[in-house]
Amino acid sequence: MAANKYVFNFQEGNLGMKRLLGGKGANLAEMTVVGLPVPPGFTVTTDACRAYYNALSLPDGLMKEVANGVKGIELQKSQLFGNAEDPLLVSVRSGSVSSMPGMMDTILNLGLTDITVVGLAKATNNVSFAYDCYRRLIQMFGNVVFGIESIYFEKLLHQLKRELQVEQDQDVTAEGWKQLILQFKACIERHARKSFPQDVNDQLKLAIEAVFRSWNNHRAQVYRRINQIPDEQGTAVNIQAMVFGNLGQDCGTGVLFTRNPSTGAKVLFGEYLTNAQGEDVVAGVRTPLPINELQKEMPEVYSRLVSIAEQLELHYRDMQDIEFTVEKNKLYMLQTRNGKRTAQAALKIGVDLVRENIISVEEALQRVEVSHLDMLLHPTIDPEAKIDVVATGLPASPGAASGQAVFDADTAEQCARAGKKVILVRSETNPEDIHGVLVAEGVLTSRGGMTSHAAVIARGMGKPCVCGCDEIGVDAEAKQFTAGDRTINEGDWISIDGATGRVIIGMVQLKEADMSEELVQMLEWADGVRQLQVFANADSPEDAAKARELGAQGIGLCRTEHMFMSAQRLPIVQAMILAESLVERQSALNKLLPMQQADFEGIFTAMAGLPVTIRLLDPPLHEFLPNLEDLVSRHIRMTIQETERSAEQDALEKLIRKVRSMHETNPMLGQRGCRLGILFPEIYEMQIEAIFRAVLRCLEKGVTVLPEIMIPLVSHANELKILRELVDHVAEQVLLTHKNSCPYKVGTMIEVPRAALTAKKIAPYADFFSFGTNDLTQMTFGYSRDDAEGKFLTQYVDQKLLAANPFQVLDRDGVGQLIELAVERGRSVKPKLKTGICGEHGGERESIFFCHETGLNYVSCSPYRVPLARIAAAQAKLVLGDQKIAIMPIVS
Amino acid sequence: MAANKYVFNFQEGNLGMKRLLGGKGANLAEMTVVGLPVPPGFTVTTDACRAYYNALSLPDGLMKEVANGVKGIELQKSQLFGNAEDPLLVSVRSGSVSSMPGMMDTILNLGLTDITVVGLAKATNNVSFAYDCYRRLIQMFGNVVFGIESIYFEKLLHQLKRELQVEQDQDVTAEGWKQLILQFKACIERHARKSFPQDVNDQLKLAIEAVFRSWNNHRAQVYRRINQIPDEQGTAVNIQAMVFGNLGQDCGTGVLFTRNPSTGAKVLFGEYLTNAQGEDVVAGVRTPLPINELQKEMPEVYSRLVSIAEQLELHYRDMQDIEFTVEKNKLYMLQTRNGKRTAQAALKIGVDLVRENIISVEEALQRVEVSHLDMLLHPTIDPEAKIDVVATGLPASPGAASGQAVFDADTAEQCARAGKKVILVRSETNPEDIHGVLVAEGVLTSRGGMTSHAAVIARGMGKPCVCGCDEIGVDAEAKQFTAGDRTINEGDWISIDGATGRVIIGMVQLKEADMSEELVQMLEWADGVRQLQVFANADSPEDAAKARELGAQGIGLCRTEHMFMSAQRLPIVQAMILAESLVERQSALNKLLPMQQADFEGIFTAMAGLPVTIRLLDPPLHEFLPNLEDLVSRHIRMTIQETERSAEQDALEKLIRKVRSMHETNPMLGQRGCRLGILFPEIYEMQIEAIFRAVLRCLEKGVTVLPEIMIPLVSHANELKILRELVDHVAEQVLLTHKNSCPYKVGTMIEVPRAALTAKKIAPYADFFSFGTNDLTQMTFGYSRDDAEGKFLTQYVDQKLLAANPFQVLDRDGVGQLIELAVERGRSVKPKLKTGICGEHGGERESIFFCHETGLNYVSCSPYRVPLARIAAAQAKLVLGDQKIAIMPIVS
């Protein structure tokens, strides 16, 4: 292709040239080549757009190519551009590579001037129509080329109609339009200090430039940022002969989907208007008719349309969204593209196309938009329901829920015990709130980002969550929150929609999610293709059961600390932490042991026959203690108000001293994870004992158990060495005492950079590596997630300093490099080392692709993300080919 | 060497066999081979010790080899082991590879039994001597072999002397000793339920085993841990014919240094006792005579000794510490070893030996114990002074200081302004205390480890610091601290010794440090050898001048935040942080600008002609704000006590809200470093402007300036890209406005793992990489230094889970790997990239070796560590050879 060919006639292009011609241009070319009735035209390429932005003017020679393009149209239409008798009119439309509907500008009827408008009137024998076209051109041109806000033109039109005492545009007379045209021209001169050009080639040049400029208008920029469309892509410009659906009753225009975009059902779906232009359908002034009415009104056109629709679907091998115009009984195709559809429709269409032998299973799988799956698996608000939205926060965990507002975890628990449904409302949550989150239908916070504590926990539990909703003001002491001028008190019903971030007053009708037959089919196909295994993160028997139902092949991360958080257990945990002696601590641990054992038994039973990876206690112990600031406040009040020193005061002071002594400047990097296990072996010992006692119970009941014990936060091989010995020792004691045995694994989280770097030394002590990508991201970047999100990290992503939030999409360059290196080094000493990730990235498509590419054995994600991960894993295999290493059996 | 040869006669060994024979054994062999009069003997190897620990019994065949060894001694001494007439007696001494003085056990006079003692009495014609020898053997044997505490034997001896009414051991009669021998034997039977063996070979076997066992006694284990001696080294056992210095006036024993170990002066130095055993010299019962007295008493022996001393020094090419015994006018050499010496003596001896052509410059350099240099450069407590030590803490920053105790930074500053000398006493310090540390003579804290905030800051400023002194209780509110039953109030004089951790009541006499001629010489030699450049970390003109005086070749790290901390500036800094608008912030910044400019001007002037690396603001802004807990306490008090709402209350609440909003969970990983520069470009802009205005002023004064601007905490190349543009932009504006120019560099700290991993992408924007090994260690290990030290990290080092504290000695496996990788990748795109480290490791020998090995261009450390670093850098070159890459000129 010549470097400086900037213009392609529709006959010259095809669908494969999308990058150069934009989506619309490539589609028009494809349809033209296939022989469909497309009005003639040509496309100015995205190369020209880039050249325009480089030089800030149209590239040399472009307008000459454009003139040749116009000549081509003139030949086909037997009309001349700018001709006074029967002028050729064209539309000038943007057409980007990625779909950006409505973001850029369009000009219709270009080619009309004071002279040619007379010719058009004659040729169409419709003066009013011609001048209406002309005034539309001037208005669009003024807006798009000269940047004059439409409102000025609208006002003039409105005024005119008032003067003429008419309601509808179509009732305005030719004279009226002529008068308006004068006013429009004056308006342009007033605002832009320029005249509406009377040279059609000037019109064309200015219009092309304006479309290029519109690539960088504000709304287009925002759209690109949100949809991660590169700025360098640029837009093409399509110049096409006008056809008119509004020349009489033998004319019309419409939109057609080849299948139902809402359900996916295989029926034609669409609507049309006679004697109308496309914008009239959109504007909603007249109500369009369902497409099958066309069969009666224009039977020939309809049957041609049906056959073209079929042809297009077969040609594009997907459901099409078609725009057409009928000009004097002649059908013209203006656009076709793969139709947007709901998540459910997408699945149904995918499965149906396979069954109709139009596409292969592999293609169907690749077409699944995994991010849409979330919507299918969580309850949603019935779209028919009337709802009272009072605020919008971040859509942190999908699904919708209704409940009575409560403002602390304890109340949440009490209400839940009394059978009430509650929504936990907090300014932000911390681990002490977990027992509240556990029982709530959903969580609403006024602070914190998409990966704040509340969001992470809620997603993990599959509970709806709206967070960072700064439109509401939460007053936990007063047990109320405000939204605008509304005050919501404890006990008031509210609803949240975690998929959109909406906060709603009152109870709303929910639609329960269930796995459609098509989803089940698609997942089955995915399972047949994928090499990555999909595990789930689950901390309770209920979560485990849900995960299994959604197809998890095991538990990749069971966080034992969540089991410490229930209101019933927390006092014992606190007693354990505050113990002054080993004996005291042991006594508290002895109370916790049977509780943990019961937890594990439940999870093992739910996952019978599948591996369950249990992570030993991870968070710093002070997370289980009361808040220091609260204690100090209480103490000051007590000191000021009480005259005599009380025993309570002594106890409080002792508690404050202890809490203060355990305070950490950077708890993320403090005394947590395996460091606890080294310092307080008795805690890990209790947990290990609980695990193996649960194993014993399951064995007695005939339940197959595959326990895997995971040591968190290892940074030096010696830590794992010591703790592995502890596991082996306790396991032997518990199992041998009962003359039983059970194969188990001991492995480690790789979540500290040093662990990844020294994987070769760590691997000898590990049966598996599970990459804790949340913490690994924190330490590799030096980002505290709690402090970064909503603060500098948000700005970094907005400024495009970072391509994506690394807590959402795994950072390949840094974190990914460490993972690759750890896998390679670990396997260099232990070729069959099992590897996987258990951070939140395990449920994110791009990250799953990375895991496939890096040769990991599994990803582990929250239960509700399991289906997504199953499909993404299959897509990874289809896109990237076989994994670098052979996949291990689940059980080895 | 045969695998199972466990015994070497002294004639078979030499100094090179230290690993096998231990230090003492190798030395005895070397002296024997050289022809010196060494009592005959042999060594049981460290191999045998390891074999003993593997099998927990002496290896097969060992005792046969020992018997052969004994035969060799018998031949030379013409005596027989266990012979009833003239028995051979031997000593059994431990001898480890690394010197562990007094840590393990010794048995003398072995070979005495109820029968041979009679022979000894006859042969020496001295019954009392013989039985004294015997009772000594039994006591030592009982203690060493049977583990009976010496106190039991001492008590019996004491009782005997009381009965006999004698004061001195030598006055005890033979009958007395015989009686005591019976009691000693009974004591052994009572405590060990075993008899003292009458078979001399049993004695020998048991003694060898006991010495091997003593390798693992508690004090030896502790000593090894402190001195980082590997457990696997094991000890050798030396068996040697006894010689007696206590057989009459023609006998004696003594110790001799070939040079003065305290000053290094080239004179014989030592002392001796006639008619005495070695232990009598140590015990101090009689006062030994200076060695030159021996010339009068035994002129021949003396002249032989002098010539042997000379021979030994030349042979060993170092100052020797010699033990000798004279038995009936015959001189025996019992030991020689390189003598311990003071830091100053070591330098003098090193330089003198070079000047005497005994060793080369390179050898002299390699012999410098760099850790001793610290002592030479800081004022020390006059050893003559009488001092009242009340507590001992961690020796956190060397040097001694006296001053009046003050308990907060503001008081410190007021006192200092009034010309008083103060010691700042805190339970722990934080960045808000810096202006107090700045003016104090020294710092004392009751909490925090060797790398706590106080310690780091004090070391950086070269101020004495004792920290983690938990023997004292600091009550800042009452303005006092307690130590034991003493209370020290504000204004009381105290002294601290940062080299030993001593806390002293009252003022003490200090000895000012000055660079001795020998130190200057040694440093000059080092400069001629080393390839690494040595820069200093300095934040003020004074520090810069000191650094330059101590030989720094530039400033590698100038921390601008310390300039924000003075009492005068802090309110402006706080106003800047709390600003509600950009205008407000700009106004505060405008006030700070001239202050920063003056700082930079001073530093540039002090370092004229040398590079000055200035790091832009790094710590999180909330570090400059008041403590939240204090504010909240104040607020609660105000709320309770005031009846009407005051303006003060409003202001306080506003402040609390702001401080709370800036609170971070993990400030180490929060909004700091270049993240501030991206979010608040106006702050960095002010700093950059201040730098270049200072540059201008210097240029006007004719001062050569080499500014290097360093961007902290970069984790993504884009951060550096953006901020480099900012630097270039501001520099151009300031310099061009004044039609001036100045070459400058822009570089980055590499202190986030991701920066190291992505060095290839960062290097294009960096003129230099400066590894911030403090933070890099924190993030690579996932250790918060503030939380780890004194907590789990201390235990990790104690448990030997980690070989060393990674904040003191650079962790090669993890952190080092990242540095290597970053250097390699950075230079792959920019071959001349300047690299160095500026963490505390820059002043630590092992870490400096790593830097040399990795091909860094420089290390930067606190000014007082510069001489140490200069020598260590030379040693690195001598030990490791040339650097991997060519060294760059300082200015490029």
Side-chain angles (χ1 to χ4, degrees), chain A residues 719 761 796 813 817 825, chain B residues 719 761 796 813 817 825:
Chain A
E719 293 172 315
K761 294 192 175 174
Y796 272 23
D813 281 355
Q817 192 184 138
R825 293 183 187 177
Chain B
E719 293 171 316
K761 294 192 175 175
Y796 271 24
D813 281 357
Q817 191 184 139
R825 292 183 186 177

Side-chain angles (χ1 to χ4, degrees), chain A residues 15 102 307 516 635:
Chain A
L15 201 57
S307 103
S516 66
H635 181 248

Side-chain angles (χ1 to χ4, degrees), chain B residues 545-771:
Chain B
K546 185 77 198 166
R548 185 165 204 160
E549 185 192 322
L550 293 171
Q553 294 166 282
I555 302 288
L557 174 62
C558 170
R559 283 159 291 212
T560 52
E561 55 269 25
H562 290 178
M563 305 172 182
F564 278 23
M565 286 293 188
S566 76
Q568 176 206 3
R569 297 182 187 181
L570 200 54
I572 309 175
V573 173
Q574 290 181 341
M576 183 270 285
I577 296 167
L578 298 171
E580 301 276 337
S581 68
L582 186 57
V583 178
E584 229 180 283
R585 170 167 298 124
Q586 199 62 60
S587 140
L589 286 170
N590 289 344
K591 286 184 206 154
L592 288 171
L593 176 66
M595 301 175 181
Q596 288 249 297
Q597 184 184 333
D599 296 329
F600 295 136
E601 219 180 301
I603 292 172
F604 286 146
T605 308
M607 297 304 285
L610 297 178
V612 174
T613 315
I614 296 168
R615 179 177 71 185
L616 300 185
L617 195 67
D618 183 51
L621 295 182
H622 52 73
E623 280 201 9
F624 301 95
L625 296 181
N627 178 285
L628 180 60
E629 208 183 302
D630 293 347
L631 293 178
V632 170
S633 306
R634 210 196 305 162
H635 182 250
I636 294 175
R637 289 213 173 85
M638 203 182 268
T639 322
I640 293 177
Q641 288 164 344
E642 289 183 17
T643 44
E644 264 177 58
R645 196 169 172 80
S646 64
E648 200 192 339
Q649 195 169 342
D650 286 344
L652 184 58
E653 279 171 17
K654 192 176 151 193
L655 183 60
I656 288 175
R657 269 197 304 278
K658 185 80 184 183
V659 173
R660 205 189 286 280
S661 81
M662 295 188 70
H663 172 78
E664 292 187 313
T665 318
N666 299 290
M668 236 288 298
L669 308 178
Q671 197 155 303
R672 49 172 288 236
C674 67
R675 297 163 198 171
L676 292 176
I678 303 271
L679 258 62
F680 308 106
E682 58 276 13
I683 300 179
Y684 272 22
E685 225 173 298
M686 179 280 284
Q687 295 199 298
I688 302 164
E689 193 175 336
I691 291 169
F692 284 99
R693 285 199 189 186
V695 166
L696 270 183
R697 288 288 305 249
C698 288
L699 292 179
E700 285 162 16
K701 291 190 291 179
V703 173
T704 310
V705 203
L706 299 170
E708 309 203 349
I709 288 148
M710 181 151 76
I711 310 296
L713 211 73
V714 163
S715 63
H716 193 289
N718 284 347
E719 293 171 316
L720 186 58
K721 177 170 181 278
I722 291 169
L723 292 173
R724 183 181 185 115
E725 281 164 9
L726 185 69
V727 175
D728 289 341
H729 174 73
V730 175
E732 196 182 307
Q733 280 200 321
V734 175
L735 296 176
L736 274 192
T737 313
H738 294 76
K739 300 192 173 53
N740 220 320
S741 79
C742 168
Y744 63 89
K745 289 186 175 166
V746 182
T748 180
M749 301 274 280
I750 301 280
E751 52 189 337
V752 174
R754 195 178 186 283
L757 291 164
T758 60
K760 208 168 180 164
K761 294 192 175 175
I762 291 174
Y765 307 108
D767 300 324
F768 60 88
F769 281 177
S770 175
F771 293 95

Side-chain angles (χ1 to χ4, degrees), chain A residues 249-428:
Chain A
Q249 289 309 313
D250 54 354
C251 301
T253 191
V255 169
L256 177 71
F257 288 83
T258 57
R259 297 177 191 233
N260 185 319
S262 177
T263 64
K266 196 182 176 185
V267 287
L268 285 190
F269 181 94
E271 45 193 24
Y272 76 102
L273 273 175
T274 45
N275 196 15
Q277 291 230 49
E279 58 193 275
D280 300 327
V281 181
V282 179
V285 183
R286 286 157 58 201
T287 305
L289 297 169
I291 197 71
N292 50 356
E293 295 286 319
L294 188 64
Q295 191 164 17
K296 291 179 223 153
E297 293 200 12
M298 303 182 187
E300 270 168 48
V301 167
Y302 181 76
S303 94
R304 181 79 209 277
L305 187 60
V306 169
S307 103
I308 285 177
E310 252 170 53
Q311 186 186 351
L312 280 173
E313 193 179 90
L314 278 173
H315 185 73
Y316 285 96
R317 305 166 62 253
D318 199 0
M319 185 263 266
Q320 295 297 298
D321 166 2
I322 297 162
E323 289 174 24
F324 63 92
T325 285
V326 182
E327 186 184 271
K328 298 192 177 290
N329 268 323
K330 183 161 166 36
L331 176 66
Y332 288 99
M333 307 308 295
L334 296 187
Q335 165 131 307
T336 190
R337 56 186 167 194
N338 294 339
K340 301 247 177 226
R341 61 205 80 177
T342 63
Q344 177 50 37
L347 279 174
K348 176 158 175 54
I349 291 168
V351 170
D352 285 352
L353 288 175
V354 172
R355 289 175 179 161
E356 292 162 27
N357 287 317
I358 296 173
I359 61 172
S360 66
V361 165
E362 287 73 20
E363 213 168 345
L365 279 169
Q366 279 183 259
R367 285 187 189 178
V368 178
E369 280 267 10
V370 291
S371 59
H372 290 171
L373 289 178
D374 258 356
M375 298 182 204
L376 292 180
L377 294 165
H378 293 93
T380 49
I381 293 177
D382 189 332
E384 313 288 310
K386 277 197 180 166
I387 57 177
D388 177 8
V389 177
V390 289
T392 304
L394 298 172
S397 178
S402 290
Q404 290 172 275
V406 293
F407 295 85
D408 63 275
D410 291 338
T411 310
E413 212 174 33
Q414 286 157 20
C415 292
R417 224 178 278 133
K420 290 180 186 168
K421 290 188 167 188
V422 297
I423 304 279
L424 181 62
V425 184
R426 303 280 293 162
S427 49
E428 59 201 336

Side-chain angles (χ1 to χ4, degrees), chain B residues 175-189:
Chain B
E175 285 316 305
W177 291 132
K178 284 183 188 167
Q179 184 190 328
L180 191 63
I181 284 163
L182 291 174
Q183 291 175 338
F184 275 14
K185 285 182 178 171
C187 177
I188 287 180
E189 283 183 25

Side-chain angles (χ1 to χ4, degrees), chain B residues 193-354:
Chain B
R193 310 208 170 279
K194 281 184 186 149
S195 307
F196 174 76
Q198 291 297 325
D199 179 326
V200 294
N201 289 310
D202 284 354
Q203 286 181 5
L204 192 52
K205 180 168 185 245
L206 289 169
I208 292 171
E209 280 183 324
V211 171
F212 282 162
R213 273 202 310 274
S214 71
W215 173 252
N216 258 357
N217 71 34
H218 182 66
R219 64 180 195 278
Q221 284 189 14
V222 171
Y223 186 91
R224 285 203 297 278
R225 194 171 63 223
I226 292 171
N227 292 279
Q228 304 191 340
I229 298 170
D231 286 341
E232 313 77 56
Q233 227 174 48
T235 184
V237 185
N238 298 294
I239 290 136
Q240 190 177 24
M242 289 294 301
V243 286
F244 294 100
N246 54 348
L247 279 175
Q249 288 309 313
D250 55 354
C251 302
T253 191
V255 170
L256 177 72
F257 287 84
T258 57
R259 300 182 188 229
N260 185 319
S262 176
T263 65
K266 197 183 175 185
V267 288
L268 286 190
F269 181 94
E271 46 192 24
Y272 76 101
L273 272 175
T274 45
N275 196 15
Q277 292 231 48
E279 59 192 277
D280 300 328
V281 181
V282 180
V285 183
R286 286 157 59 199
T287 306
L289 297 169
I291 197 71
N292 49 355
E293 295 288 319
L294 190 62
Q295 193 165 15
K296 292 178 224 158
E297 294 200 12
M298 303 179 186
E300 273 169 46
V301 167
Y302 182 75
S303 92
R304 181 80 210 275
L305 188 59
V306 169
S307 100
I308 286 178
E310 255 171 50
Q311 185 185 350
L312 282 172
E313 194 178 89
L314 279 173
H315 185 73
Y316 284 98
R317 306 167 62 252
D318 200 359
M319 186 263 268
Q320 294 298 296
D321 167 0
I322 297 164
E323 289 173 23
F324 63 91
T325 285
V326 182
E327 186 182 87
K328 299 194 176 289
N329 269 320
K330 185 162 165 32
L331 177 65
Y332 288 99
M333 307 308 295
L334 296 187
Q335 165 131 309
T336 191
R337 55 187 167 192
N338 294 340
K340 300 249 177 223
R341 62 206 77 180
T342 64
Q344 178 49 38
L347 279 174
K348 176 157 175 53
I349 292 169
V351 170
D352 285 353
L353 289 174
V354 171

Side-chain angles (χ1 to χ4, degrees), chain A residues 614-819:
Chain A
I614 297 168
R615 179 177 73 183
L616 300 185
L617 196 65
D618 183 51
L621 295 181
H622 52 73
E623 280 201 8
F624 300 95
L625 296 181
N627 179 285
L628 181 60
E629 208 183 300
D630 293 348
L631 293 178
V632 170
S633 306
R634 211 199 303 163
H635 181 248
I636 295 174
R637 278 176 224 278
M638 203 183 270
T639 322
I640 294 177
Q641 289 166 341
E642 289 184 14
T643 45
E644 265 178 59
R645 197 169 171 81
S646 65
E648 199 191 339
Q649 196 168 343
D650 286 343
L652 184 56
E653 280 171 18
K654 191 174 152 194
L655 182 59
I656 288 175
R657 269 198 303 278
K658 185 80 185 181
V659 172
R660 205 188 285 282
S661 79
M662 297 188 70
H663 172 79
E664 293 187 313
T665 318
N666 299 290
M668 235 288 298
L669 307 177
Q671 197 155 302
R672 51 173 286 237
C674 68
R675 298 163 197 172
L676 292 176
I678 303 271
L679 258 61
F680 307 107
E682 58 275 14
I683 300 178
Y684 272 22
E685 223 174 300
M686 178 280 283
Q687 294 199 299
I688 302 164
E689 193 176 336
I691 292 169
F692 284 100
R693 285 200 190 185
V695 166
L696 269 181
R697 288 288 305 249
C698 287
L699 292 179
E700 285 162 15
K701 290 190 292 180
V703 173
T704 308
V705 202
L706 300 169
E708 310 202 349
I709 289 150
M710 182 151 75
I711 311 295
L713 212 73
V714 163
S715 63
H716 193 290
N718 284 347
E719 293 172 315
L720 185 58
K721 177 170 181 278
I722 291 169
L723 293 173
R724 186 184 182 113
E725 280 163 10
L726 185 71
V727 175
D728 288 342
H729 174 73
V730 175
E732 195 183 307
Q733 281 201 320
V734 175
L735 295 177
L736 273 192
T737 312
H738 294 77
K739 301 193 171 57
N740 220 321
S741 79
C742 169
Y744 62 90
K745 288 187 175 165
V746 182
T748 181
M749 301 274 278
I750 301 280
E751 52 188 336
V752 174
R754 195 178 186 283
L757 292 164
T758 60
K760 207 167 181 166
K761 294 192 175 174
I762 291 175
Y765 307 109
D767 301 325
F768 60 87
F769 281 177
S770 175
F771 293 94
T773 49
N774 297 349
D775 274 6
L776 193 58
T777 301
Q778 296 201 85
M779 294 184 214
T780 305
F781 272 91
Y783 288 171
S784 162
R785 195 168 72 176
D786 289 342
D787 302 312
E789 292 193 326
K791 291 193 171 172
F792 67 87
L793 184 52
T794 312
Q795 184 157 341
Y796 272 23
V797 175
D798 283 353
Q799 282 193 14
K800 297 198 187 169
L801 195 151
L802 292 176
N805 178 339
F807 294 110
Q808 285 166 6
V809 181
L810 194 129
D811 160 57
R812 285 181 174 238
D813 281 355
V815 179
Q817 192 184 138
L818 282 177
I819 294 176

